Amino acid sequence: MPVDIELGGVYLPPLAQALLLALPIFLLLDWSLRRLGVLRLVWHEALFEGALYACICAGLILLMGALH
């Protein structure tokens, strides 16, 4: 079971840890998809980016569960 991490007196539950860790991964992946021109092929860009962030978060949560 993943554990809470304490940062400056604030305890972060595993879900918040995954959300924070997913942000730089998402930004890097979004930047690379824009540079490659993949996002021009997407029908609704904001919907695609939201789904991409959700998939990254879900993957990190599954990975955190498997490691503990």
Side-chain angles (χ1 to χ4, degrees):
M1 170 121 187
V3 296
D4 294 346
I5 294 179
E6 187 257 330
L7 288 173
V10 176
Y11 286 99
L12 291 175
L15 180 61
Q17 295 169 26
L19 292 174
L20 289 175
L21 185 59
L23 189 60
I25 296 170
F26 167 75
L27 291 174
L28 181 64
L29 190 57
D30 183 57
W31 177 80
S32 61
L33 289 176
R34 286 183 190 281
R35 296 280 293 170
L36 293 173
V38 174
L39 291 182
R40 286 185 287 129
L41 304 173
V42 174
W43 172 69
H44 197 290
E45 186 177 324
L47 189 61
F48 176 79
E49 288 178 343
L52 181 63
Y53 184 71
C55 289
I56 294 170
C57 288
L60 286 174
I61 291 168
L62 289 173
L63 182 65
M64 289 169 61
L67 292 177
H68 284 100

